Amino acid sequence: MNYKNIREEELKNKIGADGFVNSQQKVDTNFDNAAMLQILKKLGYTYCGEVYLAGSERKAFEKLL
């Protein structure tokens, strides 16, 4: 499977019954912010990887609405 097919599959998974791409929320937090990490898990956010903000590494999450 090539990159193009992977992107097409990702988009198919995000298109709702109305034919529009579903909305999403993205958030990031510090690695050591245990309270926020627990809240994100409880609210159903998915871990996406790391991002860098002002020179520091942070955990990134998203949630499809």
Side-chain angles (χ1 to χ4, degrees), residues 1-21:
M1 183 179 285
N2 64 30
Y3 179 76
K4 181 181 177 202
N5 290 341
I6 292 170
R7 281 295 295 152
E8 288 174 359
E9 286 299 316
E10 288 176 0
L11 289 174
K12 285 179 189 174
N13 292 336
K14 292 183 179 183
I15 296 175
D18 57 5
F20 291 97
V21 175

Side-chain angles (χ1 to χ4, degrees), residues 5-51:
N5 290 341
I6 292 170
R7 281 295 295 152
E8 288 174 359
E9 286 299 316
E10 288 176 0
L11 289 174
K12 285 179 189 174
N13 292 336
K14 292 183 179 183
I15 296 175
D18 57 5
F20 291 97
V21 175
N22 295 325
S23 296
Q24 56 186 307
Q25 288 183 334
K26 296 185 179 193
V27 64
D28 62 76
T29 188
N30 292 326
F31 281 83
D32 60 351
N33 190 344
M36 184 62 158
L37 293 170
Q38 189 64 26
I39 290 169
L40 294 172
K41 181 178 178 181
K42 184 178 179 179
L43 293 176
Y45 280 79
T46 303
Y47 176 72
C48 298
E50 291 83 34
V51 295

